[in-house]
Structures are given as C-alpha cells and as structure tokens.
C-alpha cells in the first residue's frame, strides 16, 4: 500500500543516507511532514521553512567544506594560514 510511483527515490547511496538523516530531523521537529500516508500533499509555512532552511544549511556545508579543502590543497601552507578568508570569496 506504499505508492512507490509517488514516493520512490532513485538516489545514489550517499544522497539517500543524507535524505534519511534530514528525514530523522524532520520527524523530530515536524512529524506530520514525514508521516507515511498523511503527509502526501501536506504544506504549512513551518514545514516549508524547514525544507528551505535544510537545503541552505546543506549547501553551505558543502560549499565551505569544498572551499576549505581547495585552500588547503592549492595554497602553500604559510599563504593558506594568512589568506584563508580569501578562498571563501
């Protein structure tokens, strides 16, 4: 009785685990957002804000991690210490 045409996901494993982790947080904060049958078509300002903010937070995490790794790997050690903030710009 689970409609996989509506809910089915076709993500690589890492993205599926990330979606699961976000779902765990969503279940703790807004259980109506992830209820198996009741959440279909559910919309509220709170859950919309949660979804948007979770995307912004994860995008920021990916961006700042990549920028830090780029600065660490591409700049000499002394320059990286002095100009870490420049990598983010």
């Amino acid at each position: 009785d689970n409609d996989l045409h509506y809910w089915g996901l076709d993500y690589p494993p890492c993205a599926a685990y990330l979606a699961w982790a976000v779902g765990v947080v969503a279940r703790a904060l807004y259980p109506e957002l992830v209820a198996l049958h009741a959440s279909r078509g559910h919309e509220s300002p709170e859950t919309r804000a949660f979804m948007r903010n979770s995307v912004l937070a994860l995008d920021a995490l990916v961006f700042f991690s990549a920028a830090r790794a780029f600065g660490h790997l591409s700049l000499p050690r002394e320059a990286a210490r002095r100009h870490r903030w420049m990598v983010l710009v």
Side-chain angles (χ1 to χ4, degrees):
D1 78 339
N2 189 6
D3 186 6
L4 289 178
H5 293 290
Y6 184 79
W7 293 108
L9 300 176
D10 189 18
Y11 293 130
C14 185
Y17 284 121
L18 180 62
W20 172 80
V22 172
V24 169
V25 174
R27 183 177 49 196
L29 298 175
Y30 305 104
E32 65 276 4
L33 181 62
V34 292
L36 182 57
H37 296 288
S39 65
R40 192 175 201 167
H42 173 76
E43 288 187 32
S44 73
E46 294 84 13
T47 57
R48 190 177 300 127
F50 171 78
M51 289 187 283
R52 290 177 181 169
N53 288 327
S54 66
V55 169
L56 289 174
L58 292 170
D59 284 351
L61 178 70
V62 168
F63 172 76
F64 289 118
S65 298
R68 181 179 168 114
F70 174 77
H72 180 72
L73 296 173
S74 66
L75 296 174
R77 189 168 299 270
E78 289 180 24
R81 287 187 189 141
R82 283 184 280 145
H83 302 293
R84 284 184 189 163
W85 64 271
M86 290 179 67
V87 174
L88 299 177
V89 176

